[in-house]
Amino acid sequence: MSTTTSAPRSRVRWKVFGFLWILVVLNYIDRAALSIALPFISKDFDLTPELQGVLLGCFFYTYLVFQIPGGVLLDKLGARKVILAAGALWGVFQALGGFASSGVALILLRLGLGAAEAPISPSSAKLNSAWLPAKERARGATFVDAASPFGAAVGGLAVTALIGVFGSWREAFVITGVLTVIISIVFYLYLRDTPEQHKAVSPSEIEYIRGEEDVADAIDDRLLPKVSDYVRSRSFWAMMFGRLGWATVWWGIISWTPTYLSEAMHFDLGALGWGTFAVYGMGVLGQLVAGYTVDKWRSATTRYNLVMKTVFGISGLGTAVAVFSLPAISNGYTAVVALGIAVFFINFGGLYWAIPAWLAPKQQVGRIGGVMNVASSGGGGLAPVVMGFAIAASAGSFAGSFVFLGISATVYLVGSLLINYERPLAHARQDRLDADRPEERATAR
């Protein structure tokens, strides 16, 4: 046995993902702050349901626009520099939100927040491909993505507590914004773009990470897929539509649950904090169950389609049933249970952040993660606005908006089932060259 293999193996990769987890928690606390504070903000600024929907959704307009540029920056500059710049900027925009004097000013700050946060989720996919072996990527993706429901859950308690202590929603924005800037700087000081650049990583850990390269990792640079190859891929479009359906459901629940519990179920401030904590907290459990199950199952079989389609099938079906049941519920605690079940199953969708690292070559993971997150941003921008108009049109009833979310859950289910998890997107160009122009492939090699 070699010295490298027998030497103690460090676990720096999980410390890196631990820091990233904390940053994503803050990311979602910052986002949840608006949803939790919205009943108070709408009174201060006299906002209609339609304007509330626009305020909740406007974050995603710039978030969407900056996804692909953010992914390109990640591939060019590395995650370390991009995360520092993004975290510092979004912390500043969040803190300034506490000084907003009108709904319009808050909308402008939310647009800035969306642009600043855009590279954070693709950076998770980038670090996933650089720091984890293929067999740990589902756990890595769902571990980090579990920070989103956890951040939303903790954000519910933290923001309601801060509102209770200070008597205003403004201090919550300032405190969470400043904390974000501090954590971003600390993460920058610890993070490196690859394990080889980190002094604390042992040779045996590097060997462990690089010892099981995924099929998409080792593609020849000359055969990197082009945009046209991705456009031709059914799996690529299925991934985009599945992610769009997922994001519409998740952000619809994140955006409107506090208002729904406050106005339709008449929860007071204390009950609102604990109610949102219970709902969003179920997402953490869903993420961890999905990640652990998929990694264990994938390590025992090469039938990846069976593994992924079974897990996503349960996820989509469970979400749709729970959401479609909500219009018939009139009891607040029953509503919390139904929302919690929906959040548990929809958060299996955290596995989507493993898909770019599984299906795209390392050189393009940041871009594919950014492109996929365009679909997430579209759902995030669509859900709050459509739900706001549906609520206004039905004189405050949430029934129509929940039917809309149930249809979106069905889109997520169908899209997820149409992805071919056994043939990486990275090989789209190779397949085409094999079928159409074998001589070009021979020349490339």
Side-chain angles (χ1 to χ4, degrees):
M1 185 178 289
S2 70
T3 340
T4 303
T5 311
S6 59
R9 186 198 302 161
S10 57
R11 300 183 66 84
V12 176
R13 66 192 185 283
W14 289 113
K15 292 177 185 177
V16 166
F17 273 75
F19 271 111
L20 183 60
W21 189 85
I22 293 170
L23 195 61
V24 175
V25 166
L26 285 171
N27 185 309
Y28 275 77
I29 289 176
D30 289 350
R31 297 189 201 185
L34 178 65
S35 300
I36 300 295
L38 188 60
F40 308 96
I41 294 171
S42 62
K43 288 176 185 174
D44 283 358
F45 297 148
D46 194 23
L47 301 178
T48 63
E50 295 94 332
L51 283 175
Q52 291 178 51
V54 171
L55 179 58
L56 287 166
C58 68
F59 165 93
F60 292 96
Y61 307 150
T62 47
Y63 190 71
L64 184 152
V65 169
F66 283 89
Q67 282 301 310
I68 296 176
V72 171
L73 283 175
L74 280 165
D75 286 335
K76 287 184 178 296
L77 302 178
R80 186 174 184 242
K81 292 178 182 176
V82 173
I83 287 174
L84 173 66
L89 276 174
W90 110 52
V92 169
F93 280 118
Q94 174 73 3
L96 288 175
F99 300 95
S101 56
S102 66
V104 173
L106 200 51
I107 285 173
L108 292 174
L109 289 168
R110 296 295 288 184
L111 289 170
L113 186 68
E117 287 194 17
I120 297 301
S121 292
S123 72
S124 173
K126 188 73 175 175
L127 292 174
N128 190 302
S129 69
W131 275 88
L132 295 179
K135 64 184 178 183
E136 290 183 351
R137 287 179 182 170
R139 269 173 289 179
T142 52
F143 171 70
V144 172
D145 215 46
S148 59
F150 183 81
V154 170
L157 289 177
V159 173
T160 53
L162 289 169
I163 292 172
V165 169
F166 292 101
S168 169
W169 54 271
R170 295 181 182 276
E171 286 80 2
F173 280 64
V174 175
I175 291 169
T176 55
V178 171
L179 191 56
T180 297
V181 174
I182 294 170
I183 294 298
S184 300
I185 294 169
V186 173
F187 190 28
Y188 171 80
L189 295 174
Y190 185 77
L191 179 63
R192 296 296 181 272
D193 289 320
T194 66
E196 289 82 359
Q197 296 170 342
H198 203 295
K199 291 181 180 178
V201 178
S202 67
S204 57
E205 184 174 16
I206 292 174
E207 182 183 15
Y208 176 75
I209 293 169
R210 303 295 178 228
E212 188 193 329
E213 296 286 2
D214 207 349
V215 64
D217 290 339
I219 190 169
D220 191 311
D221 283 351
R222 294 167 295 176
L223 287 174
L224 284 174
K226 298 178 180 178
V227 173
S228 58
D229 296 313
Y230 286 106
V231 170
R232 287 186 180 93
S233 168
R234 186 191 75 180
S235 291
F236 173 79
W237 288 109
M239 177 183 75
M240 294 296 284
F241 279 102
R243 190 65 178 175
L244 174 67
W246 172 88
T248 304
V249 176
W250 174 233
W251 285 109
I253 292 175
I254 282 281
S255 300
W256 280 102
T257 289
T259 302
Y260 167 67
L261 294 179
S262 174
E263 296 183 1
M265 296 298 163
H266 311 293
F267 280 30
D268 60 22
L269 184 61
L272 180 62
W274 285 106
T276 53
F277 179 82
V279 170
Y280 303 148
M282 286 296 291
V284 180
L285 183 60
Q287 293 271 8
L288 298 178
V289 166
Y292 180 81
T293 301
V294 166
D295 271 349
K296 284 293 184 185
W297 199 356
R298 276 175 64 100
S299 66
T301 180
T302 55
R303 299 177 65 190
Y304 297 153
N305 275 326
L306 173 66
V307 175
M308 300 307 300
K309 291 182 181 185
T310 300
V311 171
F312 277 127
I314 293 170
S315 171
L317 189 60
T319 302
V321 170
V323 171
F324 275 128
S325 73
L326 282 163
I329 294 174
S330 56
N331 178 272
Y333 295 106
T334 307
V336 166
V337 171
L339 284 166
I341 292 171
V343 166
F344 172 80
F345 283 116
I346 197 64
N347 272 279
F348 283 24
L351 291 166
Y352 263 71
W353 281 115
I355 293 176
W358 279 333
L359 302 185
K362 281 183 181 293
Q363 302 96 312
Q364 295 180 339
V365 166
R367 290 173 176 85
I368 297 305
V371 171
M372 186 182 77
N373 220 27
V374 167
S376 295
S377 310
L382 182 69
V385 177
V386 171
M387 291 178 72
F389 276 87
I391 292 163
S394 57
S397 169
F398 282 77
S401 62
F402 287 137
V403 170
F404 166 67
L405 292 188
I407 294 170
S408 302
T410 307
V411 172
Y412 159 63
L413 170 63
V414 173
S416 300
L417 294 181
L418 288 176
I419 299 171
N420 185 351
Y421 300 94
E422 293 177 3
R423 193 60 178 162
L425 298 179
H427 287 240
R429 186 172 182 230
Q430 290 173 308
D431 289 344
R432 181 166 59 85
L433 292 175
D434 282 339
D436 300 335
R437 297 197 299 276
E439 69 285 351
E440 181 180 330
R441 188 177 181 203
T443 306
R445 286 189 164 178

